[in-house]
Amino acid sequence: RNAKISVKNCAIHNSSYNISADLGNNTFSIIWINSERLDVTIPDGYYSFDDLNSYLQYVMTSKKWYIRNTSSSNPVQSQFFISFKANFIRYTTEIGILYVPDTMPTGFAYPVTETNEVLGWTLPTVPKYPQIILPPKLMKLFGFKTMSTFPSNTDASAKQNITYVSDTYPVLNDTFSYVLCCNMVNNTYSAQSDALHMIPLTSQYGGLIDNNPATTNWLSIYESQYTDLQIRLYNQDFKAFIPLDPELSLTLII
């Protein structure tokens, strides 16, 4: 009766994915210049924008949707027509779309052969843009509020490459803190009555978060008889998840 509980120390690894099927942000679509649509599923994981661009290039390479360098004086090995990039100066992201020309640029060639039978596509008769489509949750990750199809049409008659800059800041990781909940806690200060302690993600992905509260924050314990103490882990929105690294070091004061 009248018992209280507080966290003295907590150590846990930052081991939650930022892109996954569970988060609903792991898909996008590409429409190539021949109108072929490819729906892409990103494997669950933790990705930077460079990682996402590398995976995009992997997908484009597997479909042979690029042209290759044939000139030793050209430092570009492959020319991809869609790219992702973080703009650290402006705290935004960029989606780059290059037009696919109607004639092969000097020093470049088709990936394998110049015969349509092998590639399944040829350069268009007039310049065209490929398109990429982002679903709403991936739009949020990139920082785009309304635009989801880049570009909105395939007409590249002006022969201009396009860079789309996000409307607002990107949200690379929708989880910015972990919340420990406990079956014994009666927290009258939180909408989640069993919320025990919040742990800001102060380390990079895979790093150890060693959390030592500066003050002792006492919370009431429900008056009851207990046979066990249960700890559950949520994100800041109180969505339950299982961290990839389940090891947790927790010191409580009761």
Side-chain angles (χ1 to χ4, degrees), residues 30-36 60 64-68 79-83 96-105 108-111 119-132 150-151 153-162:
I30 301 170
I31 301 177
W32 190 234
I33 59 167
N34 58 3
S35 299
E36 179 182 350
M60 302 287 279
K64 304 190 186 309
W65 288 346
Y66 68 97
I67 54 178
R68 63 184 175 87
Q79 180 66 71
F80 296 96
F81 296 92
I82 307 175
S83 63
I97 306 291
L98 306 184
Y99 71 88
V100 181
D102 51 355
T103 57
M104 186 65 68
F108 285 89
Y110 289 112
L119 285 174
W121 70 279
T122 57
L123 294 177
T125 55
V126 293
K128 294 183 69 175
Y129 293 119
Q131 295 173 292
I132 187 164
F150 308 85
N153 64 76
T154 63
D155 179 17
S157 55
K159 297 185 178 181
Q160 293 181 341
N161 298 324
I162 307 173

Side-chain angles (χ1 to χ4, degrees), residues 229-248:
L229 184 149
Q230 300 172 10
I231 297 293
R232 294 178 295 277
L233 190 63
Y234 298 83
N235 68 7
Q236 73 281 348
D237 297 320
F238 294 104
K239 181 178 180 181
F241 70 97
I242 300 175
L244 299 173
D245 188 337
E247 293 187 6
L248 168 69

Side-chain angles (χ1 to χ4, degrees), residues 204-218:
Q204 295 181 345
Y205 179 71
L208 180 66
I209 306 167
D210 190 7
N211 184 258
N212 297 280
T215 59
T216 302
N217 299 311
W218 293 107

Side-chain angles (χ1 to χ4, degrees), residues 19-219:
I19 290 182
S20 68
D22 184 54
L23 293 172
N25 62 356
N26 68 328
T27 62
F28 63 88
S29 299
I30 301 170
I31 301 177
W32 190 234
I33 59 167
N34 58 3
S35 299
E36 179 182 350
R37 177 176 175 135
L38 177 67
D39 295 323
V40 179
T41 298
I42 308 169
D44 291 0
Y46 191 95
Y47 294 80
S48 66
F49 289 110
D50 283 343
D51 295 330
L52 288 172
N53 188 60
S54 294
Y55 188 72
L56 173 63
Q57 290 186 355
Y58 164 78
V59 170
M60 302 287 279
T61 299
S62 67
K63 293 292 292 184
K64 304 190 186 309
W65 288 346
Y66 68 97
I67 54 178
R68 63 184 175 87
N69 171 35
T70 59
S71 172
S72 59
S73 62
N74 192 333
V76 178
Q77 295 303 309
S78 299
Q79 180 66 71
F80 296 96
F81 296 92
I82 307 175
S83 63
F84 300 144
K85 181 182 177 182
N87 187 325
F88 295 104
I89 295 175
R90 298 181 62 180
Y91 200 53
T92 57
T93 59
E94 296 178 1
I95 296 178
I97 306 291
L98 306 184
Y99 71 88
V100 181
D102 51 355
T103 57
M104 186 65 68
T106 302
F108 285 89
Y110 289 112
V112 178
T113 177
E114 295 186 8
T115 62
N116 187 47
E117 290 76 18
V118 174
L119 285 174
W121 70 279
T122 57
L123 294 177
T125 55
V126 293
K128 294 183 69 175
Y129 293 119
Q131 295 173 292
I132 187 164
I133 303 171
L134 305 183
K137 290 190 176 180
L138 204 56
M139 288 169 58
K140 179 181 178 181
L141 185 144
F142 276 84
F144 288 96
K145 292 182 177 180
T146 57
M147 191 169 187
S148 60
T149 302
F150 308 85
S152 57
N153 64 76
T154 63
D155 179 17
S157 55
K159 297 185 178 181
Q160 293 181 341
N161 298 324
I162 307 173
T163 298
Y164 295 96
V165 180
S166 62
D167 309 290
T168 185
Y169 59 90
V171 184
L172 186 60
N173 190 355
D174 209 25
T175 297
F176 55 82
S177 64
Y178 296 156
V179 180
L180 299 179
C181 291
C182 175
N183 63 314
M184 298 171 60
V185 169
N186 179 20
N187 188 340
T188 58
Y189 304 101
S190 172
Q192 187 82 11
S193 62
D194 61 350
L196 171 63
H197 185 63
M198 179 174 285
I199 308 168
L201 300 190
T202 54
S203 72
Q204 295 181 345
Y205 179 71
L208 180 66
I209 306 167
D210 190 7
N211 184 258
N212 297 280
T215 59
T216 302
N217 299 311
W218 293 107
L219 295 171

